[in-house]
């Protein structure tokens, strides 16, 4: 699967964002070793601080399928629901830590493809660059990294 295809999956997921408060839709698409894709969107809550990020939803769904160690790449998109949004969005700090759980368990420095809700701009990062000196399962004796 190409980065562009992963971004397309994340954009499809972003259409299901529950984001009436921020009106900022985010979608995430997690690529697994067998080529399958697990997606998530942000799920906000009237108690604002309880809101869930798209990447966290996607990783939690992946984990619930027993596939946390099988993640090979992630696509993330986001932008205002009311228009614009061509600037690539990268994962928030908390999501970087959540992604690191999958990265270390699988022994991979995950590529993270970032885009806006629309447009051709695509940024590629490695998790190790977004979250240097990460604390993770490897520090507790788990995983391959
Ligand atoms: N959001 C995500 O879903 N992922 C991120 O990495 C950054 C922020 C969501 C949370 C909230 O619903 C909205 O974007 C605005 O912050």
């Amino acid at each position: 699967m190409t980065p562009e295809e992963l971004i397309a999956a994340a954009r499809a997921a972003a259409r299901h964002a529950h984001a009436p408060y921020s009106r900022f839709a985010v979608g995430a698409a997690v690529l697994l070793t067998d080529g399958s894709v697990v997606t998530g969107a942000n799920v906000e809550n009237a108690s604002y601080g309880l809101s869930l990020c798209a990447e966290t939803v996607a990783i939690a769904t992946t984990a619930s399928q027993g596939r946390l160690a099988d993640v090979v790449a992630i696509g993330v998109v986001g932008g205002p629901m009311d228009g614009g949004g061509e600037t690539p969005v990268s994962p928030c700090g908390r999501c970087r830590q959540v992604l690191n759980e999958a990265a270390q368990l699988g022994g991979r420095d995950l590529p993270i493809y970032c885009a806006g809700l629309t447009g051709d701009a695509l940024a590629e990062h490695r998790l190790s660059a977004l979250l240097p000196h990460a604390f993770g399962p490897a520090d507790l004796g788990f995983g391959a990294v």
Side-chain angles (χ1 to χ4, degrees):
M1 174 170 276
T2 66
E4 288 77 13
E5 288 170 332
L6 202 57
I7 290 298
R11 283 177 174 158
R15 287 201 285 274
H16 299 298
H18 174 64
Y21 310 112
S22 71
R23 298 208 53 79
F24 193 90
V26 182
V30 174
L31 179 65
L32 302 181
T33 45
D34 63 0
S36 62
V37 175
V38 177
T39 60
N42 53 332
V43 182
E44 296 185 350
N45 191 282
S47 179
Y48 297 165
L50 302 184
S51 298
L52 302 173
C53 287
E55 303 92 313
T56 292
V57 170
I59 288 292
T61 303
T62 301
S64 73
Q65 296 175 1
R67 305 297 304 277
L68 199 52
D70 298 336
V71 176
V72 294
I74 299 114
V76 181
V77 304
M81 296 165 80
D82 302 316
E86 297 198 9
T87 305
V89 165
S90 61
C92 79
R94 184 179 186 278
C95 287
R96 295 175 193 198
Q97 182 69 29
V98 169
L99 292 168
N100 183 62
E101 192 77 8
Q104 286 195 3
L105 285 179
R108 298 180 185 91
D109 186 10
L110 297 176
I112 302 178
Y113 304 107
C114 303
L117 281 185
T118 61
D120 294 331
L122 183 93
E124 177 182 352
H125 306 290
R126 291 280 167 170
L127 185 60
S128 62
L130 296 182
L131 190 70
H133 311 292
F135 176 84
D139 293 289
L140 302 177
F142 296 92
V145 170

